[in-house]
Each structure stands twice: as C-alpha cells, then as structure tokens.
C-alpha cells in the first residue's frame, strides 16, 4: 500500500497574504483534502508527492520529505510534504467538516489586445 502524504504550510515569504486563505501551520492530507488546497500549490505538490510515494528521494531533503514553494510570486508560501503510514490522518490536519468554503480567488480582468 502506498504511503499517505501530509502537506503543511511552513512559512510565507511574499508580501501578500495567500489568495486562497492559507496560513502557516495549515496541514492537509494530499488525497483527502485536494479541494481545500490551492490549485496552484497542488499543481507543484503533485510532482513531489509522486516522487516520494514511489520510493524516490529529493536531493538535500531527509527521506520521505520535500519542500516546495507556491508559484504565486506575491505570496510565495513554502510547503513541506511528508510521507506517513497509509490510512493515518496527519496531526493537526483540517477535517472536511471543520473547514468553511475556500475563499474566491480575486483575479484582475484581462482585456484582449486590440488587433
């Protein structure tokens, strides 16, 4: 059985708060909380989760862990992935019932260039 993955927001390095409402200390189960984690962060997390799940290792990181940064340059949230035994729930994770709906992401309107 493949190991479970915990994703924890470790710190914010950018100037702006997270547009999805995440704060340092938030923790997510990779498989159970996919709709709760910002899609941009999940896009990056997926690659590292796949590497760790199938026995790979990230250079410079302890076995079973990986760090990555959200691709939003205004926010730059730093996340940590950790493997754990299959079927276990991450310590301090947010249950589906306790979370409110994710905030709407505010994006500026983009006008099409004139031809």
């Amino acid at each position: 059985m493949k190991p479970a993955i915990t994703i924890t927001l470790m710190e914010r390095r950018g100037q702006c708060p997270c547009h999805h409402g995440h704060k340092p200390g938030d923790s997510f189960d990779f498989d159970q909380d996919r709709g709760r984690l910002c899609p941009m962060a999940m896009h990056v997390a997926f690659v590292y989760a796949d590497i760790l799940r199938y026995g790979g290792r990230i250079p410079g990181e302890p076995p079973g862990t990986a760090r990555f940064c959200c691709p939003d340059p205004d926010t730059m949230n730093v996340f940590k992935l950790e493997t754990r035994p299959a079927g276990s729930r991450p310590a301090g994770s947010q249950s589906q019932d306790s979370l409110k709906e994710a905030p709407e992401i505010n994006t500026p309107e983009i006008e099409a260039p004139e031809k």
Side-chain angles (χ1 to χ4, degrees):
M1 197 171 210
K2 62 187 176 185
I5 303 284
T6 299
I7 302 171
T8 304
L9 176 52
M10 304 304 288
E11 66 177 301
R12 186 184 85 216
R13 293 185 181 174
Q15 299 297 316
C16 296
C18 175
H19 300 292
H20 208 73
H22 299 318
K23 293 178 177 52
D26 287 352
S27 188
F28 305 90
D29 178 278
F30 179 77
D31 295 307
Q32 302 298 317
D33 297 330
R34 286 193 181 196
R36 303 292 180 193
L37 184 63
C38 169
M40 289 194 305
M42 182 56 87
H43 181 76
V44 178
F46 183 82
V47 175
Y48 292 105
D50 239 16
I51 291 169
L52 296 178
R53 267 213 172 128
Y54 298 104
R57 185 169 176 190
I58 308 302
E61 297 289 331
T65 66
R67 288 179 301 144
F68 69 92
C69 188
C70 170
D72 183 341
D74 295 327
T75 303
M76 291 192 318
N77 283 328
V78 178
F79 292 87
K80 182 177 182 179
L81 272 77
E82 299 175 280
T83 58
R84 60 181 203 285
S88 64
R89 189 86 181 141
S93 70
Q94 300 174 335
S95 70
Q96 295 286 351
D97 297 333
S98 68
L99 289 172
K100 60 182 180 192
E101 286 294 316
E104 186 175 317
I105 298 174
N106 296 319
T107 55
E109 292 294 322
I110 300 173
E111 294 182 26
E114 293 183 26
K115 292 184 179 182

